[in-house]
Amino acid sequence: MFVGAVFFPLLGASIAGLFGRWIGDKAAQLVTITCMVLAALCGVTLFFEVAFGHAPQTVQIMNFVDVGGFEVSWALRYDTLSAVMVGMVTFISTLIHIYSVGYMSHDPSRARFFSYLSLFTFMMLMLVTADNLVQLFFGWEGVGLASYLLIGFWYEKDSACNAAMKAFIVNRVGDLFFMLGLALTFWTFGSVEFDTIFGSIEQHREATFAGFPAYEVIGVLLFLGACGKSAQLGLHTWLPDAMEGPTPVSALIHAATMVTAGVFLVARMSPVFEYAPIALAIVTVVGASTALFAATIGCVQNDIKRVIAYSTCSQLGYMFFAAGVGAYQGAIFHLFTHAFFKALLFLGAGSVIHAMSDEQDIRKMGGIWKKIPATYALFWIGSLALAGVPLFAGYYSKDFMIEAAFAAHGWTGKYAWFCGMAAAFLTAFYSWRLIIVTFHGEPRADHHTMEHVHESPPVMVLPLVVLGLGATFAGMVFAPYFIGHDWQAFWNGAIVNGPANHIMHDVHEVPEWVPLAPTVVGLSGILVAYIMYMFVPSIPGKLASAFRPIYLFLLNKWYFDELYDAIFVRPARALARMLWQKVDAGAIDGVPNGVASLAVDVAQGAVRLQTGRVASYAFTMIAGLAVFVSLLAFGAVR
Amino acid sequence: MNAAGFPLLTLLTFLPLVGAAFILTQRGEEEVVASNARWTALWTSLIVFGLSLILWFKFDKADAGFQFVEQLDWLAEFGVTYHVGVDGISVLFILLSTLLTPLCILASWDSIRMRVREYMVAFLVLETMMVGMFCALDFVVFYVFFEGVLIPMFLIIGVWGHSRRVYASFKFFLYTFLGSVLMLLAILLLWFRAGTTDIPALFDHAIPPSLQTWIFLAFFASFAVKVPMWPFHTWLPDAHVEAPTAGSVILAGVLLKMGAYGFLRFSLPLLPQASADFAPFIYVLSVVAVVYTSLVALAQENMKKLIAYSSVAHMGIVTLGIFTFNVQGLSGALFQMLSHGIVSGALFLCVGVLYDRVHSLEIARYGGVAKIMPAYAVVFMLFTMASVALPGLAGFPGELLVIVAAWKVNPWVAFGAAFGMILGAAYMLFLYRRVAFGKLTKQDLMGLLDMSAREKLVFAPLIILTIWMGVAPQSFLSFFQASVTALVARHEAALGAARLAGM
């Protein structure tokens, strides 16, 4: 069962990928979905067995590398943290596989699509069950590959190809730091296996690297790696572009699972981070800034998927600042609930796009809520959960994180609290802006499209309903275990809070107005959205023209893409061209070529020396002999 | 006598020559001769490969010394013997050579139409030289094979190459030969001092540090060009672009390994002090190689040139690993050499598949190939990913070990090496995107056929190896474990002794 949860998806991916063309699309879908259902059965069972039965376990598979003390093996580590992730990933992934049957029904290469989806799931599972940093890196890069393939799934579209490359390369920037963090971890602990690292935390606390505490440096390097994968401020630019991929992909990879890998990494390495206060402060500040920054952009975007993508970015920021103030449990809890409601929102958006004949611009929608009531209702549920409205899933996790930020000591916690509150307002605002503009008002699509608006088939709606149930109840049901009074028994040491870290307790001691504040802010965000877009729809236009520079700044995503293009991409290309044509072909190759032509000249000169006169030859020979003898005589040869 | 019970290494070395001689005796109609030559060459190389598998199974991994040793008097009065044998460092390179040769012959099956007989002879002679070089344990024997490799390669590029083949083949020959002449001087000097050219005997011969420097430089001149290290690399892109596909495969797969092998076999054990002194210099050149050539690769418009530059970058990782002088670094360098042999060889074959159909190496000539050649697209993607060191494929373990080892030496060096990960992803994906992705708009590409059964057969072993090396690298690393550990121990002992003597 331990092995099955991880390897069934690989089996499905291999069969669909290698034999997809022979067995046909139907069979490929059937195989991958069967494998995913089996994996989900294993995964969810394990979630209850390991997390609630308190039975962590590690399954050794085989030796990977064992060179001079650098020992790594393939192994599946199941503790509460992995079990939560495995259960969530297999469950959500199965739903998304089923949804894709409907969504991709018109695509000519479905076998390939399902193979990629399953491959992605396998890589994600390897990531979360890794028992050492190298295997984690295998999954880490593996999900990068799968997301590259899936974003570029429609490879005939230039924009999709470019987005895929961008995703892979930006992720690689993070991976570079991950790799260096891995190297330092090895030289600090003499191992990259989690058990050994966590077991010798106390011994190596005094270790330093270049004058800095080694734990701090490891923490910062790994966090930079996490920034790439989890699209944090600075390395976030790939995520919105990744929306070029098919919508189920966005739901699976860019909302529910892959992008949360960074948060998972920080939680997994919590024993090290606990002794790295500066690294944690950086995590907090970057996370909080991302939460607010992405939310501001989300307010003005007009592509339905991009709004949700920025929302994901923002929610990841929340998770990071929660981890940064030491409340890793809260971060993972939000990761868990977020998977449900964000997958729901993405798949709901997919359902809308499906209904609107592949239109993604919300300015060309409107007036469709009566035609697709089920999607509309589920979109509401997802947004309620996202905005943290009481009793929905997001309420429990989000409130907890904001309270944790308030309860934390130091200015970073206060900064995170401020950003979290502001972002909570914006989240509610852009969520309802999205709902109102998409579903309400006058129809803005052309007549032809409007006639075709239809509710999605049951195979797409059913997974949405299941996710809707999760988005509604996951918070209520699981809060007592993840963050409530049973948290210590539930986590069972899978996440470590240092001896000085009492945040899990302090959260419950905050003043009474603090838990209420996010709700009030969220509700007012909804209200403002209603006023601006439902009741007085002339306000947004006026605001946009009154504050045109700010509006453009936000609309163009703070000009990050342009900035990077100007300081990295274009100089690198110019440098590449210069190095090739000037240095390589000019200077370096010029030497041998120059020598060659010199040799030709000399040879031509030498031809003239061959005069045919015996006397001059004799003279040359004697002169040469004289030099040779004198060299020998002075012992210069030996 | 040895573990095989018969002179295995000699057989492996000279059996291809027998095949070559047989091909030369063929007379008659051109078509028949060509066909006979192909089949003879294929069978000869397959038999050699089959025999070489004995090494895989019978090699004692726990023994750090030389195995399958054969020693015969040759030029006894000069202290020169015919001495061959393998240890953990060289054994897998023999397997690499014997594996790639039949694949190359198979890959040239249809694409070489002119002077087939001579082409096959050249390849078999090349195999003899490569195998002989990796198992030589006498400097003179080594030098003969080391230089002998140049001749068939020179001919393969110069006769069966593309339009600028003569320029490229002369550049290749002169560049690499010039370095080797200095090595010959160093060998003579060693022989003068020790009275023998036997390599294991020379290992016990201490060389004073001042002299080590000069010998190191002479070896460096030869090996650095062969690797090739920046800035001695410019012969490589030209040679690759002009060489026929199979020539590029051997060039990238085996010939590039000769320089690094030389560093490992001679510079490190014979010249420990000089190696340690020059290490920072090598780090700088290696990191420059990684970053600089990756950037240059980014700007390339020719597929083969791009992969050639990527080879230089990958070999930068190798030289870096060798000069870290620790077990991880050396093992990683060796692993990277093997994996690069497989992966870059396969990438050149991938380019060859397209070249055979379209007869162009210009990237701009292609686009959207994935649409009509799905199997090819998968294979090409696999090797692209292996080349960018995706974990789980062959390129990763070597790079991981070298970066970990380099961190110990100097974190900035590790950073430079790891920076290649980003640039590598950039140029390889950019290549793949321009060739395979995009819309298929060029009329003449629409009729391309996907890979033939023969082509699939060529790729099959490479695919298996790429995944195997990525998933279970230990089954390869275990071969050189003992030898590398011994080498590192001896290196440290030598440095320690020198330090004591200096006190």
Side-chain angles (χ1 to χ4, degrees), chain A residues 265-305:
Chain A
L265 177 69
V266 175
R268 172 55 88 208
M269 296 302 282
S270 58
V272 176
F273 275 100
E274 279 298 275
Y275 292 106
I278 299 173
L280 278 182
I282 294 174
V283 173
T284 313
V285 171
V286 172
S289 310
T290 308
L292 182 57
F293 148 82
T296 59
I297 297 179
C299 291
V300 299
Q301 295 299 307
N302 291 317
D303 182 318
I304 184 168
K305 285 175 74 182

Side-chain angles (χ1 to χ4, degrees), chain A residues 39-52:
Chain A
L41 285 177
C42 295
V44 173
T45 317
L46 285 173
F47 169 58
F48 286 102
E49 231 172 63
V50 174
F52 292 99

Side-chain angles (χ1 to χ4, degrees), chain A residues 333-392:
Chain A
F333 187 43
H334 193 59
L335 190 164
F336 181 77
T337 57
H338 175 255
F340 288 97
F341 59 74
K342 196 47 73 63
L344 173 63
L345 283 174
F346 261 118
L347 294 184
S351 185
V352 171
I353 296 167
H354 199 72
M356 297 297 293
S357 312
D358 294 332
E359 180 57 62
Q360 300 196 9
D361 192 333
I362 54 173
R363 287 170 298 188
K364 295 180 185 158
M365 296 180 182
I368 52 174
W369 68 278
K370 278 185 186 150
K371 293 191 173 185
I372 45 173
T375 305
Y376 177 63
L378 288 161
F379 217 90
W380 258 86
I381 293 178
S383 301
L384 287 170
L386 173 63
V389 172
L391 303 184
F392 287 89

